[in-house]
Amino acid sequence: MNIITMMAIAVTALYLANPIICFADIDAKEIYNYKATDIQAFEIDDYANTDFNDVIYMDKIISSESSNLIEKLNSNNIAIASAWTLDSMSDDNRNVLKGKVESGIPLIVSGDSGVLQDIGISVITNPNASYSAIYCDPTSNVIYCYGIESSDYDAERTTIAWVNSIKTSTALDSDTNYGDAIFYQETKICDGDRARINATALYSKLGTSNGFTYYSIQYNAEAVAKDNDWSIADMTVSCDVDAKNAFQHLIDYGPDSTGSEKTTSVSVNMSAGITGITFGTSIGWSYTVPSTIIHNQCDTSEDYFSIWHDIDEDSADSTVRVKPGMIVSTNSSIYSATDVYEVRFEGPYYDHLWPWDPTTELKTFTMECNALLNV
């Protein structure tokens, strides 16, 4: 049975600064009431609870009927389509589908997840996912995205289970504007499910100031060694912030400590304001890790974010979570960047033939997520 673990995202409280500070015209909400996503597991047994009269396989509808089908989609439906079907849609049908998705109808895509960006909605996708999904909560105005990178035949059912889980979670009323908060959850099945990478992130729009729009990103990366002979050695979360737009900048990040000392408790404290002045928007949280050395590889002059957790694989549990974060800005109406999750596991050297061959080796797996915000 496949189990995908949803991770906790803390509610973020934002503080509006004293207006005498030049950064203080940031147009930020005082508090964002995002839907709580408490730690929980959902199983593909949820798939059995699906009413398939409500699941619409758009690939089975001939093109002449597609317009009528899209118009009739309602909040009880889950729409599933191949990337080819979405890519082949007329502009008119694509615009109608966009409106349906924005109104709260979940959309699942098999194949190239880039077609979701082509629809013209704010979305975060894994370019290598076999199945992707997006759900726009009409109550909280939060956008939820999902992807699973797996060759397992259960990938579609797992994605449907995720949709059912998100739709039935308790939502909080919010005055957040549509698209101001985007949450994604991605899973990569590694080496025949000997291990997994689960990643979530919450992108929160802090507001605007002097022509710049600011976002905070809270990452929550989880590595799981499912094989008893495997252990977790390294976890790195990175983002080349200005790679796709030279006017996107890394403002602050956390954790910002580094060195040779091992730690088990990590704090993240970030702010957007003037250096040396405490007024501004500030965000913080903490998390625990097994015995770990944190390597700060960030470079604000290059707008490059990278936090490497060097974990003691001999003492680590089979599941490890790390939660770094950053604040970014852009003077463009759209923010576009790629988050990269890299996990290195230590496992048996399966090609052992000679006495001098090593008994173990490091196995590296990478998962990417493309963010496209404020579309």
Side-chain angles (χ1 to χ4, degrees):
M1 182 179 297
N2 288 335
I3 300 177
I4 306 298
T5 302
M6 297 188 66
M7 307 172 190
I9 296 294
V11 174
T12 303
L14 305 177
Y15 176 72
L16 189 61
N18 187 310
I20 66 171
I21 304 301
C22 68
F23 188 81
D25 62 346
I26 185 168
D27 180 22
K29 299 291 191 301
E30 185 174 355
I31 294 178
Y32 284 102
N33 294 316
Y34 299 138
K35 181 194 293 187
T37 52
D38 295 333
I39 298 173
Q40 59 179 305
F42 68 88
E43 306 179 5
I44 63 169
D45 283 353
D46 293 340
Y47 175 81
N49 299 324
T50 301
D51 184 346
F52 279 91
N53 290 321
D54 294 330
V55 177
I56 307 300
Y57 285 89
M58 301 179 68
D59 291 8
K60 297 180 180 179
I61 308 299
I62 60 176
S63 58
S64 61
E65 298 176 351
S66 59
S67 297
N68 190 39
L69 168 70
I70 297 171
E71 290 282 1
K72 290 183 177 180
L73 289 173
N74 62 66
S75 59
N76 294 321
N77 293 142
I78 298 175
I80 301 180
S82 66
W84 182 88
T85 294
L86 293 184
D87 191 50
S88 302
M89 277 187 178
S90 66
D91 290 341
D92 288 343
N93 284 345
R94 190 177 287 111
N95 286 332
V96 175
L97 180 61
K98 173 186 175 182
K100 292 291 186 178
V101 171
E102 291 176 340
S103 69
I105 296 173
L107 174 62
I108 295 175
V109 177
S110 62
D112 182 9
S113 61
V115 295
L116 287 172
Q117 296 186 346
D118 295 337
I119 292 176
I121 51 180
S122 296
V123 67
I124 301 175
T125 59
N126 177 348
N128 300 307
S130 48
Y131 281 86
S132 304
I134 181 170
Y135 171 63
C136 303
D137 189 331
T139 303
S140 66
N141 289 323
V142 179
I143 300 173
Y144 291 86
C145 305
Y146 176 76
I148 180 167
E149 191 174 330
S150 171
S151 58
D152 193 288
Y153 71 93
D154 279 336
E156 179 184 295
R157 295 195 292 174
T158 302
T159 307
I160 293 175
W162 176 84
V163 169
N164 287 334
S165 177
I166 284 293
K167 286 189 68 177
T168 57
S169 297
T170 301
L172 299 176
D173 290 331
S174 173
D175 61 354
T176 303
N177 293 325
Y178 172 79
D180 280 359
I182 300 183
F183 172 89
Y184 74 72
Q185 178 178 351
E186 303 286 341
T187 293
K188 181 182 179 75
I189 309 298
C190 306
D191 201 28
D193 212 12
R194 287 192 171 100
R196 290 189 181 190
I197 303 173
N198 297 316
T200 70
L202 178 65
Y203 275 73
S204 307
K205 183 179 179 180
L206 303 182
T208 58
S209 175
N210 299 325
F212 283 84
T213 301
Y214 293 80
Y215 294 93
S216 70
I217 300 98
Q218 180 178 352
Y219 297 106
N220 194 335
E222 181 184 68
V224 183
K226 299 187 70 177
D227 190 310
N228 291 333
D229 293 328
W230 284 39
S231 59
I232 302 161
D234 301 280
M235 298 178 67
T236 302
V237 181
S238 64
C239 179
D240 191 352
V241 175
D242 67 348
K244 298 181 179 181
N245 180 352
F247 297 99
Q248 295 176 174
H249 302 295
L250 175 62
I251 303 301
D252 202 1
Y253 59 84
D256 58 5
S257 60
T258 189
S260 58
E261 295 295 325
K262 293 184 177 181
T263 185
T264 58
S265 180
V266 185
S267 295
V268 175
N269 296 289
M270 306 184 300
S271 63
I274 300 174
T275 303
I277 299 179
T278 57
F279 295 109
T281 300
S282 60
I283 307 166
W285 61 85
S286 61
Y287 59 97
T288 58
V289 289
S291 182
T292 298
I293 299 174
I294 296 177
H295 300 276
N296 176 359
Q297 301 175 312
C298 300
D299 186 345
T300 53
S301 68
E302 295 291 337
D303 297 306
Y304 181 73
F305 169 82
S306 179
I307 302 294
W308 166 26
H309 292 73
D310 186 356
I311 301 163
D312 182 356
E313 56 266 32
D314 294 327
S315 63
D317 294 331
S318 59
T319 299
V320 177
R321 286 183 181 172
V322 300
K323 302 178 183 180
M326 64 178 179
I327 293 177
V328 298
S329 71
T330 176
N331 71 348
S332 171
S333 60
I334 295 175
Y335 175 83
S336 178
T338 299
D339 299 329
V340 179
Y341 299 86
E342 181 179 281
V343 178
R344 196 177 306 176
F345 297 91
E346 184 180 68
Y349 184 69
Y350 295 111
D351 295 328
H352 193 283
L353 296 175
W354 306 101
W356 53 83
D357 282 339
T359 57
T360 63
E361 65 175 336
L362 293 174
K363 309 168 192 291
T364 302
F365 300 90
T366 301
M367 183 171 67
E368 296 183 355
C369 298
N370 294 330
L372 183 67
L373 311 183
N374 203 32
V375 175

